[in-house]
Amino acid sequence: MAFRPARYFPILEWGREYRRDTLVNDLIAAVIVTIMLIPQSLAYAMLAGLPPQIGLYASILPLIAYAIFGTSRTLAVGPVAILSLMTAAAAGKIAPQGTEAYIQAALILAVLSGAMLLVLGLLKAGFLANFLSHPVVSGFITASGIIIAASQLKHIFGIDAGGHNLFEIIVSLVRNLGSMNLATVIIGLASLIFLFGSRRFLKPALIRARLSEKAATIIARTGPVIAVIASILAVALLQLDEAGVRILGDVPRNLPELGLPAFNREIWLQLMGSAALISLIGFVESVSVAQTLAAKKRQRVDPNQELIGLGVASLSAGVSSGYPVTGGLARSAVNFDAGAETPAAGAFTAVGIALATLFLTPYLFFLPQAVLAATIIVAVLSLVDLKAIRQVWSYSKSDFSAMAATILVTLFAGVELGVTTGVALSLFLHLYNTSRPHFALVGQVPGTHHFRNVNRHRVVISDTALTIRIDESLYFANARFLEDTVYCVVSNRPDLKHLVLMCSAVNRIDASGLESLEAINERLRDANVDLHLSEVKGPVMDRLKRSHFLEELSGNVYLNTYDAMEDLDLDCVQAAFSKDAKTTSPDAIPCPSLALAGFERA
Amino acid sequence: MAFRPARYFPILEWGREYRRDTLVNDLIAAVIVTIMLIPQSLAYAMLAGLPPQIGLYASILPLIAYAIFGTSRTLAVGPVAILSLMTAAAAGKIAPQGTEAYIQAALILAVLSGAMLLVLGLLKAGFLANFLSHPVVSGFITASGIIIAASQLKHIFGIDAGGHNLFEIIVSLVRNLGSMNLATVIIGLASLIFLFGSRRFLKPALIRARLSEKAATIIARTGPVIAVIASILAVALLQLDEAGVRILGDVPRNLPELGLPAFNREIWLQLMGSAALISLIGFVESVSVAQTLAAKKRQRVDPNQELIGLGVASLSAGVSSGYPVTGGLARSAVNFDAGAETPAAGAFTAVGIALATLFLTPYLFFLPQAVLAATIIVAVLSLVDLKAIRQVWSYSKSDFSAMAATILVTLFAGVELGVTTGVALSLFLHLYNTSRPHFALVGQVPGTHHFRNVNRHRVVISDTALTIRIDESLYFANARFLEDTVYCVVSNRPDLKHLVLMCSAVNRIDASGLESLEAINERLRDANVDLHLSEVKGPVMDRLKRSHFLEELSGNVYLNTYDAMEDLDLDCVQAAFSKDAKTTSPDAIPCPSLALAGFERA
């Protein structure tokens, strides 16, 4: 394949068609997103335990990088709540918050996770993210949202509190509640009420006031900006900072310096695992947002190119004093609603944030930390999805147990352990479930050519020729289970002469499955039972032809099960068409692995 | 379920029917197996780096334990080559060979691996062994056989040599070849030639001499016994021990003392991982031997009860100064051929070995170590299965790569790392393969009701309604891949109004799969495309009914694909029945994930 620059630089594709009206739309969207991003960047930096300017820096260069390399037309990248929490957890293992080493660790995390995403993208290994199952990701996000909200309550109360898990956080909050600051509590609670209210009621109210839905959506999203401005004015005018309200204070008014964070082999190695988790979680989140938005316009995002785009974005955060970034749901939705048409909107937003860093920060001096905490709480509580938990519970107990483990471990033992536990458990459960597949003893439905599960239908079975339907691909984890089932059936039927394996749902047979079939064939031969196959799929048959199995098979391969039974026990097949066909009972052959087939399994 | 003693004590079942002629058959088999087991037990103890009596001890109590708890009628347990090698590798990490701590480590391994098997059996967790795929086990055994054979060459040459992997062993052999002992080399090579020859040519010769095949088989197996007797006589008469031939020497003439090996928390913990590998490998080997033999008589072995039987056997080895045991292929085959009918034959063999320990060992004083090494080499080289490697290579490149990794890592980095690498790689490859499933765009075969893959057949497809066949269960690792495929198809077909997912080969849909279907449904709705399903299986439908998906589905669920297309694009379906039906080209829709469907994948 020839090297096509546009493959790796999507900007070359949309840049060619860039027109004046596209520019206008992108500029408008950029202004709106910039206004929204300023308080968010400051808040998430606080959540990550970093100085406020780090949050702003993470919203400049990464946006430009994504504009060049990303494939989503409307994704808005920058700091997000979950990655801020994960950054805090990882950097906290290296040094305490507030130290230079802690900040360096955050930068290293950005470089490492960006590099990992970039390498995965170049290797086209985006599929790795697929091993994070939906219930695990959803459980992880819910648990993280709860942890984040709880951790921000101290700012609402104006107290010092700590804790590394939900239990510790709550205990610490309760212990320190005595020292709460009244002015802070008022500001904090007022902001919470205002933000929840504007989220809930402002949009419908604006629509009732005859605004277009689009305008109403955007204005409703500016709640945080209004809270910020109102609270700054209140603190400045009433001199509440002297009453103990903690404020943002001075934010350095310069742009980030470029350069790699300090290199220390041991620390970089120590942060590898955390960076891997941050990159995977960030990617999964971002790509699902990007796909949702792209689908609305029948556009596509290329997951492997997205890895490159997000990788370069995080890398450039790391080299410009920022911390790990990814595509955020809220800001991308605003960007989309505000009419952004190309990634250029992201680049314009970056310019907006840079200008804000240079000229706006002095006006934010009196911004109360309680307001930032309130914006975080309101944002993350929308991540808590209790409905999803209930749905997974009713749909699949196996998925639910992976989800519950993720939530509990994340809440009480930490984010990194939580997500790894969830992934490991969901992989194990998947393998376990497919290792005990659905096998059905099938018999002929009287008067028809159809063969159905004896446990679900009234069917006729033969004394000398039985058919077992295999409802799963045969691979190493279930191959031996098939052997057990076959031997059980054979040892229960002394008159058996023929066994047919019906393979209509077998999508693949690996070398272990083949070896089990060979062993079954040989052992049945020793027991004077012929083995036959029916309804084998094309690709599976192609594969079997490469082995000696078909030559050694004691029986035949039939196109369909009816042909097989007609050939192997014509009397029985004919009897099934008579008026008084005798159907069998479901437990005609008491093999535990067949009993499974009668029930829905969790 | 009520407690049925016979469930856990199979002896109660076969013991009730025990008759005089069964006793005679079992006794005859026991005598034959005892004669074979004596040199084997001594040889495997030497391979494990343990004093010879440990090998005999491992052949007494464990056999009685298995007779009580095991389900196979003819399995003969005792020390085997692979577990001896694994024991040497594990105990060697604790202390050097020849020390008391090394022996204690071997005993601890027996207790731990026995306890693990027992617990797995009581938890009915025998399925865990299924995660060792055939190619990994076969590759591991082949590599172990090569390592074992190489490690025994030093005894054939009568030199000192060491090395922990094949490379080191060979280098050490070559370096020390100068100090080889001529008498030893002559004995060693003569034994090798005799043993290989008797294995190869004795049985056919005996059959030509009119012996029954059964008798010929058994006599041919006594080659090692003949070599032992002949070499003892040669050494004793020619005083070859004074010429530097290393001999077995004194073996303590007492029965093992009972008791747990010394307890040291740290050492027990350190041996946990090795014990787990020993128990899994031992179980997998034994159960496949037991099933092969049981099938010949239409008997069954219960894998979970086998865990209990083998667990108690290894445990009792550990508390009677023995080392890990399992069912061996060679001795079980002899036991079977010699006519053993019940596990009592094993108990009688135990008595035979006990008597030999008490009264026979003095006569083995002059037994040359080179002869024991020769019996090991001949035994393990039959484990080396190059044909299996070739077969797996031609059948599946994916399985082959797991096998090759197992072999190479086992040969050059050690047995434990070898088997863990193989298991991890085979799990990963399985997940990887199922994460990129076979999807096919299907079209109507002109003039029929059938729908087939556009890449394999000349078919008619509609402009407004397409069908994609999913050839895999939908689970988290491939759910997103389905989304990508669907979006690619939709973005390639601007006129598309309906998309049908044909689910005939979908055996299960997990919560992630469901969520992907929901996302597809919603995003297609945004793009004004209706989503339909066809040929959904009963159990999958049962499950879907527990969610809200079917209510939210923008389209319908059809019993079969023809019905769907008739409903969605009647003109196209009718056109396919006309004389000049226009078939489409395979690359009508250039989506990479659909292209896969045209090819056999490794």
PDB file of all heavy atoms in Angstrom, chain A residues 364-390:
ATOM      1  N   LEU A 364      -9.689  36.252  37.452  1.00  0.00           N
ATOM      2  CA  LEU A 364     -10.178  35.048  38.121  1.00  0.00           C
ATOM      3  C   LEU A 364      -9.601  34.929  39.533  1.00  0.00           C
ATOM      4  O   LEU A 364      -9.850  33.948  40.228  1.00  0.00           O
ATOM      5  CB  LEU A 364      -9.803  33.793  37.312  1.00  0.00           C
ATOM      6  CG  LEU A 364     -10.389  33.728  35.894  1.00  0.00           C
ATOM      7  CD1 LEU A 364      -9.813  32.538  35.153  1.00  0.00           C
ATOM      8  CD2 LEU A 364     -11.906  33.656  35.940  1.00  0.00           C
ATOM      9  N   PHE A 365      -8.829  35.928  39.962  1.00  0.00           N
ATOM     10  CA  PHE A 365      -8.141  35.871  41.240  1.00  0.00           C
ATOM     11  C   PHE A 365      -9.087  35.495  42.376  1.00  0.00           C
ATOM     12  O   PHE A 365      -8.773  34.669  43.212  1.00  0.00           O
ATOM     13  CB  PHE A 365      -7.483  37.232  41.521  1.00  0.00           C
ATOM     14  CG  PHE A 365      -6.683  37.255  42.794  1.00  0.00           C
ATOM     15  CD1 PHE A 365      -5.347  36.853  42.795  1.00  0.00           C
ATOM     16  CD2 PHE A 365      -7.255  37.680  43.995  1.00  0.00           C
ATOM     17  CE1 PHE A 365      -4.603  36.859  43.964  1.00  0.00           C
ATOM     18  CE2 PHE A 365      -6.508  37.689  45.164  1.00  0.00           C
ATOM     19  CZ  PHE A 365      -5.187  37.284  45.153  1.00  0.00           C
ATOM     20  N   PHE A 366     -10.284  36.098  42.402  1.00  0.00           N
ATOM     21  CA  PHE A 366     -11.202  35.886  43.524  1.00  0.00           C
ATOM     22  C   PHE A 366     -12.126  34.674  43.340  1.00  0.00           C
ATOM     23  O   PHE A 366     -13.029  34.468  44.146  1.00  0.00           O
ATOM     24  CB  PHE A 366     -12.050  37.141  43.754  1.00  0.00           C
ATOM     25  CG  PHE A 366     -11.271  38.263  44.369  1.00  0.00           C
ATOM     26  CD1 PHE A 366     -10.953  39.401  43.631  1.00  0.00           C
ATOM     27  CD2 PHE A 366     -10.855  38.178  45.693  1.00  0.00           C
ATOM     28  CE1 PHE A 366     -10.237  40.433  44.205  1.00  0.00           C
ATOM     29  CE2 PHE A 366     -10.132  39.214  46.261  1.00  0.00           C
ATOM     30  CZ  PHE A 366      -9.815  40.344  45.522  1.00  0.00           C
ATOM     31  N   LEU A 367     -11.918  33.895  42.278  1.00  0.00           N
ATOM     32  CA  LEU A 367     -12.799  32.741  42.034  1.00  0.00           C
ATOM     33  C   LEU A 367     -12.708  31.740  43.191  1.00  0.00           C
ATOM     34  O   LEU A 367     -11.644  31.223  43.484  1.00  0.00           O
ATOM     35  CB  LEU A 367     -12.386  32.066  40.720  1.00  0.00           C
ATOM     36  CG  LEU A 367     -13.096  30.766  40.361  1.00  0.00           C
ATOM     37  CD1 LEU A 367     -14.609  30.964  40.265  1.00  0.00           C
ATOM     38  CD2 LEU A 367     -12.567  30.219  39.043  1.00  0.00           C
ATOM     39  N   PRO A 368     -13.835  31.462  43.892  1.00  0.00           N
ATOM     40  CA  PRO A 368     -13.776  30.539  45.032  1.00  0.00           C
ATOM     41  C   PRO A 368     -13.574  29.097  44.565  1.00  0.00           C
ATOM     42  O   PRO A 368     -14.174  28.662  43.581  1.00  0.00           O
ATOM     43  CB  PRO A 368     -15.155  30.691  45.694  1.00  0.00           C
ATOM     44  CG  PRO A 368     -15.820  31.834  45.016  1.00  0.00           C
ATOM     45  CD  PRO A 368     -15.174  32.015  43.695  1.00  0.00           C
ATOM     46  N   GLN A 369     -12.740  28.366  45.288  1.00  0.00           N
ATOM     47  CA  GLN A 369     -12.536  26.952  44.963  1.00  0.00           C
ATOM     48  C   GLN A 369     -13.845  26.176  45.086  1.00  0.00           C
ATOM     49  O   GLN A 369     -14.056  25.183  44.391  1.00  0.00           O
ATOM     50  CB  GLN A 369     -11.469  26.350  45.887  1.00  0.00           C
ATOM     51  CG  GLN A 369     -10.090  26.957  45.642  1.00  0.00           C
ATOM     52  CD  GLN A 369      -8.995  26.327  46.504  1.00  0.00           C
ATOM     53  OE1 GLN A 369      -9.288  25.508  47.370  1.00  0.00           O
ATOM     54  NE2 GLN A 369      -7.759  26.723  46.270  1.00  0.00           N
ATOM     55  N   ALA A 370     -14.721  26.642  45.983  1.00  0.00           N
ATOM     56  CA  ALA A 370     -15.998  25.948  46.176  1.00  0.00           C
ATOM     57  C   ALA A 370     -16.820  25.931  44.882  1.00  0.00           C
ATOM     58  O   ALA A 370     -17.533  24.960  44.602  1.00  0.00           O
ATOM     59  CB  ALA A 370     -16.799  26.602  47.296  1.00  0.00           C
ATOM     60  N   VAL A 371     -16.709  26.996  44.082  1.00  0.00           N
ATOM     61  CA  VAL A 371     -17.472  27.038  42.829  1.00  0.00           C
ATOM     62  C   VAL A 371     -16.900  26.033  41.832  1.00  0.00           C
ATOM     63  O   VAL A 371     -17.641  25.316  41.146  1.00  0.00           O
ATOM     64  CB  VAL A 371     -17.473  28.463  42.246  1.00  0.00           C
ATOM     65  CG1 VAL A 371     -18.116  28.478  40.871  1.00  0.00           C
ATOM     66  CG2 VAL A 371     -18.196  29.409  43.188  1.00  0.00           C
ATOM     67  N   LEU A 372     -15.558  25.969  41.785  1.00  0.00           N
ATOM     68  CA  LEU A 372     -14.948  24.971  40.906  1.00  0.00           C
ATOM     69  C   LEU A 372     -15.379  23.573  41.333  1.00  0.00           C
ATOM     70  O   LEU A 372     -15.725  22.725  40.500  1.00  0.00           O
ATOM     71  CB  LEU A 372     -13.414  25.092  40.948  1.00  0.00           C
ATOM     72  CG  LEU A 372     -12.830  26.342  40.305  1.00  0.00           C
ATOM     73  CD1 LEU A 372     -11.303  26.338  40.430  1.00  0.00           C
ATOM     74  CD2 LEU A 372     -13.232  26.419  38.839  1.00  0.00           C
ATOM     75  N   ALA A 373     -15.362  23.317  42.659  1.00  0.00           N
ATOM     76  CA  ALA A 373     -15.768  22.008  43.162  1.00  0.00           C
ATOM     77  C   ALA A 373     -17.215  21.715  42.771  1.00  0.00           C
ATOM     78  O   ALA A 373     -17.550  20.593  42.372  1.00  0.00           O
ATOM     79  CB  ALA A 373     -15.592  21.937  44.669  1.00  0.00           C
ATOM     80  N   ALA A 374     -18.060  22.743  42.857  1.00  0.00           N
ATOM     81  CA  ALA A 374     -19.469  22.537  42.497  1.00  0.00           C
ATOM     82  C   ALA A 374     -19.610  22.171  41.019  1.00  0.00           C
ATOM     83  O   ALA A 374     -20.389  21.283  40.659  1.00  0.00           O
ATOM     84  CB  ALA A 374     -20.280  23.794  42.815  1.00  0.00           C
ATOM     85  N   THR A 375     -18.816  22.846  40.153  1.00  0.00           N
ATOM     86  CA  THR A 375     -18.926  22.492  38.724  1.00  0.00           C
ATOM     87  C   THR A 375     -18.480  21.049  38.503  1.00  0.00           C
ATOM     88  O   THR A 375     -19.059  20.327  37.690  1.00  0.00           O
ATOM     89  CB  THR A 375     -18.085  23.426  37.820  1.00  0.00           C
ATOM     90  OG1 THR A 375     -16.707  23.260  38.152  1.00  0.00           O
ATOM     91  CG2 THR A 375     -18.462  24.865  37.984  1.00  0.00           C
ATOM     92  N   ILE A 376     -17.433  20.626  39.245  1.00  0.00           N
ATOM     93  CA  ILE A 376     -16.982  19.235  39.087  1.00  0.00           C
ATOM     94  C   ILE A 376     -18.083  18.271  39.526  1.00  0.00           C
ATOM     95  O   ILE A 376     -18.402  17.301  38.838  1.00  0.00           O
ATOM     96  CB  ILE A 376     -15.701  18.979  39.918  1.00  0.00           C
ATOM     97  CG1 ILE A 376     -14.545  19.807  39.366  1.00  0.00           C
ATOM     98  CG2 ILE A 376     -15.358  17.501  39.921  1.00  0.00           C
ATOM     99  CD1 ILE A 376     -13.262  19.668  40.171  1.00  0.00           C
ATOM    100  N   ILE A 377     -18.653  18.543  40.724  1.00  0.00           N
ATOM    101  CA  ILE A 377     -19.659  17.624  41.269  1.00  0.00           C
ATOM    102  C   ILE A 377     -20.828  17.482  40.299  1.00  0.00           C
ATOM    103  O   ILE A 377     -21.278  16.373  39.994  1.00  0.00           O
ATOM    104  CB  ILE A 377     -20.138  18.111  42.646  1.00  0.00           C
ATOM    105  CG1 ILE A 377     -18.989  17.986  43.650  1.00  0.00           C
ATOM    106  CG2 ILE A 377     -21.357  17.318  43.120  1.00  0.00           C
ATOM    107  CD1 ILE A 377     -19.291  18.560  45.025  1.00  0.00           C
ATOM    108  N   VAL A 378     -21.296  18.632  39.787  1.00  0.00           N
ATOM    109  CA  VAL A 378     -22.444  18.573  38.885  1.00  0.00           C
ATOM    110  C   VAL A 378     -22.078  17.808  37.612  1.00  0.00           C
ATOM    111  O   VAL A 378     -22.862  16.996  37.109  1.00  0.00           O
ATOM    112  CB  VAL A 378     -22.936  19.992  38.559  1.00  0.00           C
ATOM    113  CG1 VAL A 378     -24.005  19.954  37.488  1.00  0.00           C
ATOM    114  CG2 VAL A 378     -23.456  20.657  39.817  1.00  0.00           C
ATOM    115  N   ALA A 379     -20.844  18.035  37.134  1.00  0.00           N
ATOM    116  CA  ALA A 379     -20.439  17.346  35.903  1.00  0.00           C
ATOM    117  C   ALA A 379     -20.331  15.842  36.127  1.00  0.00           C
ATOM    118  O   ALA A 379     -20.820  15.049  35.322  1.00  0.00           O
ATOM    119  CB  ALA A 379     -19.107  17.901  35.395  1.00  0.00           C
ATOM    120  N   VAL A 380     -19.684  15.428  37.234  1.00  0.00           N
ATOM    121  CA  VAL A 380     -19.428  13.988  37.380  1.00  0.00           C
ATOM    122  C   VAL A 380     -20.663  13.225  37.818  1.00  0.00           C
ATOM    123  O   VAL A 380     -20.794  12.041  37.527  1.00  0.00           O
ATOM    124  CB  VAL A 380     -18.256  13.671  38.339  1.00  0.00           C
ATOM    125  CG1 VAL A 380     -16.956  14.232  37.788  1.00  0.00           C
ATOM    126  CG2 VAL A 380     -18.541  14.145  39.745  1.00  0.00           C
ATOM    127  N   LEU A 381     -21.589  13.892  38.524  1.00  0.00           N
ATOM    128  CA  LEU A 381     -22.759  13.119  38.938  1.00  0.00           C
ATOM    129  C   LEU A 381     -23.582  12.692  37.725  1.00  0.00           C
ATOM    130  O   LEU A 381     -24.303  11.702  37.783  1.00  0.00           O
ATOM    131  CB  LEU A 381     -23.605  13.893  39.948  1.00  0.00           C
ATOM    132  CG  LEU A 381     -22.992  13.861  41.363  1.00  0.00           C
ATOM    133  CD1 LEU A 381     -23.916  14.527  42.370  1.00  0.00           C
ATOM    134  CD2 LEU A 381     -22.673  12.440  41.820  1.00  0.00           C
ATOM    135  N   SER A 382     -23.409  13.420  36.615  1.00  0.00           N
ATOM    136  CA  SER A 382     -24.118  12.967  35.411  1.00  0.00           C
ATOM    137  C   SER A 382     -23.456  11.720  34.830  1.00  0.00           C
ATOM    138  O   SER A 382     -24.021  11.042  33.973  1.00  0.00           O
ATOM    139  CB  SER A 382     -24.151  14.077  34.370  1.00  0.00           C
ATOM    140  OG  SER A 382     -22.863  14.263  33.848  1.00  0.00           O
ATOM    141  N   LEU A 383     -22.236  11.413  35.300  1.00  0.00           N
ATOM    142  CA  LEU A 383     -21.580  10.183  34.833  1.00  0.00           C
ATOM    143  C   LEU A 383     -22.099   8.960  35.573  1.00  0.00           C
ATOM    144  O   LEU A 383     -21.949   7.830  35.121  1.00  0.00           O
ATOM    145  CB  LEU A 383     -20.061  10.269  35.049  1.00  0.00           C
ATOM    146  CG  LEU A 383     -19.299  11.374  34.347  1.00  0.00           C
ATOM    147  CD1 LEU A 383     -17.815  11.313  34.728  1.00  0.00           C
ATOM    148  CD2 LEU A 383     -19.442  11.241  32.841  1.00  0.00           C
ATOM    149  N   VAL A 384     -22.666   9.193  36.767  1.00  0.00           N
ATOM    150  CA  VAL A 384     -23.133   8.070  37.584  1.00  0.00           C
ATOM    151  C   VAL A 384     -24.401   7.510  36.957  1.00  0.00           C
ATOM    152  O   VAL A 384     -25.411   8.196  36.854  1.00  0.00           O
ATOM    153  CB  VAL A 384     -23.392   8.531  39.031  1.00  0.00           C
ATOM    154  CG1 VAL A 384     -23.997   7.398  39.847  1.00  0.00           C
ATOM    155  CG2 VAL A 384     -22.104   9.026  39.656  1.00  0.00           C
ATOM    156  N   ASP A 385     -24.308   6.268  36.513  1.00  0.00           N
ATOM    157  CA  ASP A 385     -25.401   5.706  35.720  1.00  0.00           C
ATOM    158  C   ASP A 385     -25.975   4.482  36.438  1.00  0.00           C
ATOM    159  O   ASP A 385     -25.600   3.346  36.170  1.00  0.00           O
ATOM    160  CB  ASP A 385     -24.855   5.324  34.342  1.00  0.00           C
ATOM    161  CG  ASP A 385     -25.961   4.941  33.377  1.00  0.00           C
ATOM    162  OD1 ASP A 385     -27.120   4.840  33.833  1.00  0.00           O
ATOM    163  OD2 ASP A 385     -25.670   4.753  32.189  1.00  0.00           O
ATOM    164  N   LEU A 386     -26.880   4.736  37.362  1.00  0.00           N
ATOM    165  CA  LEU A 386     -27.455   3.634  38.136  1.00  0.00           C
ATOM    166  C   LEU A 386     -28.393   2.797  37.275  1.00  0.00           C
ATOM    167  O   LEU A 386     -28.547   1.598  37.489  1.00  0.00           O
ATOM    168  CB  LEU A 386     -28.188   4.175  39.365  1.00  0.00           C
ATOM    169  CG  LEU A 386     -27.290   4.984  40.317  1.00  0.00           C
ATOM    170  CD1 LEU A 386     -28.106   5.540  41.470  1.00  0.00           C
ATOM    171  CD2 LEU A 386     -26.146   4.139  40.853  1.00  0.00           C
ATOM    172  N   LYS A 387     -28.989   3.447  36.274  1.00  0.00           N
ATOM    173  CA  LYS A 387     -29.890   2.716  35.387  1.00  0.00           C
ATOM    174  C   LYS A 387     -29.117   1.610  34.656  1.00  0.00           C
ATOM    175  O   LYS A 387     -29.618   0.489  34.498  1.00  0.00           O
ATOM    176  CB  LYS A 387     -30.489   3.694  34.367  1.00  0.00           C
ATOM    177  CG  LYS A 387     -31.808   3.238  33.783  1.00  0.00           C
ATOM    178  CD  LYS A 387     -32.384   4.321  32.865  1.00  0.00           C
ATOM    179  CE  LYS A 387     -32.540   3.789  31.469  1.00  0.00           C
ATOM    180  NZ  LYS A 387     -32.511   4.823  30.428  1.00  0.00           N
ATOM    181  N   ALA A 388     -27.883   1.938  34.236  1.00  0.00           N
ATOM    182  CA  ALA A 388     -27.091   0.937  33.518  1.00  0.00           C
ATOM    183  C   ALA A 388     -26.842  -0.271  34.417  1.00  0.00           C
ATOM    184  O   ALA A 388     -26.865  -1.413  33.959  1.00  0.00           O
ATOM    185  CB  ALA A 388     -25.765   1.542  33.070  1.00  0.00           C
ATOM    186  N   ILE A 389     -26.620  -0.014  35.705  1.00  0.00           N
ATOM    187  CA  ILE A 389     -26.374  -1.132  36.628  1.00  0.00           C
ATOM    188  C   ILE A 389     -27.598  -2.033  36.666  1.00  0.00           C
ATOM    189  O   ILE A 389     -27.499  -3.256  36.569  1.00  0.00           O
ATOM    190  CB  ILE A 389     -26.046  -0.600  38.038  1.00  0.00           C
ATOM    191  CG1 ILE A 389     -24.821   0.316  37.982  1.00  0.00           C
ATOM    192  CG2 ILE A 389     -25.833  -1.747  39.007  1.00  0.00           C
ATOM    193  CD1 ILE A 389     -24.443   0.922  39.309  1.00  0.00           C
ATOM    194  N   ARG A 390     -28.772  -1.416  36.784  1.00  0.00           N
ATOM    195  CA  ARG A 390     -30.000  -2.199  36.852  1.00  0.00           C
ATOM    196  C   ARG A 390     -30.221  -2.988  35.559  1.00  0.00           C
ATOM    197  O   ARG A 390     -30.615  -4.157  35.589  1.00  0.00           O
ATOM    198  CB  ARG A 390     -31.175  -1.259  37.114  1.00  0.00           C
ATOM    199  CG  ARG A 390     -32.192  -1.843  38.074  1.00  0.00           C
ATOM    200  CD  ARG A 390     -33.271  -0.832  38.450  1.00  0.00           C
ATOM    201  NE  ARG A 390     -33.703  -0.033  37.333  1.00  0.00           N
ATOM    202  CZ  ARG A 390     -33.592   1.294  37.274  1.00  0.00           C
ATOM    203  NH1 ARG A 390     -33.048   1.973  38.270  1.00  0.00           N
ATOM    204  NH2 ARG A 390     -34.036   1.948  36.225  1.00  0.00           N
TER     205      ARG A 390
END
